[in-house]
Amino acid sequence: MFILSKVAELLQNNFMEKLGLIAGNGRFPILFAKGARDNKVPIIAVGIFNETSPEIEQYVDKLYWVGVAQIGKLIKIFKDEHITKAVMAGGLTKTNMFSSWRNLRFLPDLRTINLWYRNVKKRDDHSLLGAVAEELLKDGIELQSSTLYVPQLLAQKGILAKRQPTEKEMEDVNFGWPIAKEIARLGIGQCIVIKEKVIVAVEALEGTDEAIRRGGSLGKGDIVVIKVSKHDFDPRFDIPSVGLETIKTLKESSASVLALEAERTLILDIDETIQAADQANIAIIGM
């Protein structure tokens, strides 16, 4: 009976469809891989040199490495592994696109060069990642929602930490919310910092943490931070996320409130992140 059950388990694993994972930086790829493993889904991961944490190897069935500008190589790996469905998780360091000698440093393959110069009309995240998704689909690889297997990480509506925002802080949140959504719609950034109904910082290429630090320096404490999704929200890629590093930055910048877009923002390591917010006396709101 034991042998038969083992045979059945082996057969199930052999016939279970493998899922490809394009792993960027940060904690999200690792958390996604853990979630897939908990659901007994085999993961074939492709990491990006100088971006992806080597820790991810502990949670995937196979791990390959490519350069950030080697889409052709990435697709070949997935095709050789018979991958037909994949997920993008994690970000990339955007400032690298302006680094010196970037064409030599990243060694782009021909497919990436064609994609960059022929298929991408705009350089914003949504256009770039959408073009990558279309390129994958040409070879029969369909991108799935990046919240697959980790829906519990999505921020819910309401007060998420112990501290309640004050009436004055909620006035700042309500004042800043439509402004943040408009800035996101324009493709500028997804985070703004407010103090007494004054916009003191807006996220652009530098990322959320740097925008918070700048806002904290200008606002001199008790700042309100808002992070939203883009107007053309696509759950396959570029879902906004916060985590322990965000709380650390908020604390260093003397922030009092973090407002997030509910059901469209990931809270990485959610229990630990909310606990850290409680310890720092920071309110978290899902809007």
Side-chain angles (χ1 to χ4, degrees):
M1 196 70 178
F2 174 77
I3 294 173
L4 286 174
S5 67
K6 282 295 179 185
V7 170
E9 183 180 338
L10 287 170
L11 286 171
Q12 183 181 10
N13 289 337
N14 286 334
F15 286 106
M16 185 177 290
E17 186 174 8
K18 295 181 289 187
L19 183 68
L21 172 60
I22 304 168
N25 58 30
R27 288 280 298 160
F28 186 32
I30 294 168
L31 297 174
F32 180 89
K34 286 181 177 179
R37 187 184 64 176
D38 290 344
N39 283 274
K40 301 185 177 358
V41 176
I43 291 288
I44 306 300
V46 176
I48 311 297
F49 287 123
N50 301 317
E51 294 281 357
T52 310
S53 170
E55 182 188 347
I56 197 169
E57 189 169 11
Q58 302 174 35
Y59 308 105
V60 300
D61 293 78
K62 287 185 183 179
L63 175 63
Y64 296 89
W65 292 93
V66 300
V68 70
Q70 295 178 331
I71 294 170
K73 183 178 178 181
L74 182 151
I75 289 174
K76 184 179 185 303
I77 290 168
F78 280 165
K79 289 185 73 174
D80 290 346
E81 287 284 350
H82 307 289
I83 298 294
T84 59
K85 293 181 180 178
V87 165
M88 285 184 184
L92 296 173
T93 306
K94 297 176 186 176
T95 50
N96 283 337
M97 67 190 294
F98 297 120
S99 61
S100 301
W101 304 100
R102 61 182 183 269
N103 289 341
L104 290 176
R105 180 183 173 191
F106 297 139
L107 297 174
D109 56 29
L110 185 60
R111 195 148 186 181
T112 305
I113 292 170
N114 286 333
L115 177 73
W116 182 260
Y117 290 105
R118 294 183 182 179
N119 299 344
V120 178
K121 306 302 180 186
K122 296 167 63 179
R123 299 294 192 238
D124 62 278
D125 290 346
H126 190 85
S127 298
L128 287 168
L129 296 172
V132 171
E134 290 177 8
E135 201 69 19
L136 289 166
L137 196 56
K138 289 177 184 177
D139 283 87
I141 303 164
E142 182 182 1
L143 275 187
Q144 307 291 295
S145 169
S146 61
T147 62
L148 192 67
Y149 305 121
V150 286
Q152 71 278 9
L153 299 181
L154 285 169
Q156 299 302 304
K157 188 176 179 180
I159 307 299
L160 305 179
K162 288 180 181 177
R163 183 183 180 276
Q164 295 272 342
T166 66
E167 184 177 340
K168 184 178 177 182
E169 288 166 345
M170 281 307 303
E171 287 177 2
D172 275 353
V173 171
N174 292 324
F175 167 79
W177 191 264
I179 298 171
K181 290 299 291 183
E182 180 64 12
I183 288 168
R185 185 190 71 80
L186 293 170
I188 297 170
Q190 295 170 262
C191 172
I192 65 171
V193 181
I194 304 169
K195 176 75 178 281
E196 297 176 7
K197 295 184 181 177
V198 174
I199 308 299
V200 293
V202 174
E203 177 191 13
L205 192 68
E206 81 280 25
T208 297
D209 284 354
E210 288 304 315
I212 294 171
R213 290 188 182 100
R214 190 170 69 253
S217 175
L218 294 169
K220 310 297 183 185
D222 291 326
I223 56 173
V224 169
V225 177
I226 298 175
K227 190 170 179 70
V228 299
S229 69
K230 295 182 178 175
H231 77 287
D232 46 5
F233 175 78
D234 191 324
R236 297 177 301 169
F237 43 72
D238 201 34
I239 293 184
S241 63
V242 297
L244 285 166
E245 282 301 311
T246 314
I247 301 301
K248 180 182 177 182
T249 304
L250 290 167
K251 182 179 179 180
E252 291 170 353
S253 304
S254 299
S256 57
V257 177
L258 173 62
L260 307 171
E261 187 157 2
E263 299 179 1
R264 288 190 171 190
T265 308
L266 292 165
I267 303 179
L268 308 177
D269 300 303
I270 187 165
D271 293 335
E272 295 88 342
T273 297
I274 291 174
Q275 183 180 17
D278 290 338
Q279 292 171 351
N281 199 34
I282 295 169
I284 303 179
I285 318 165
M287 296 283 288

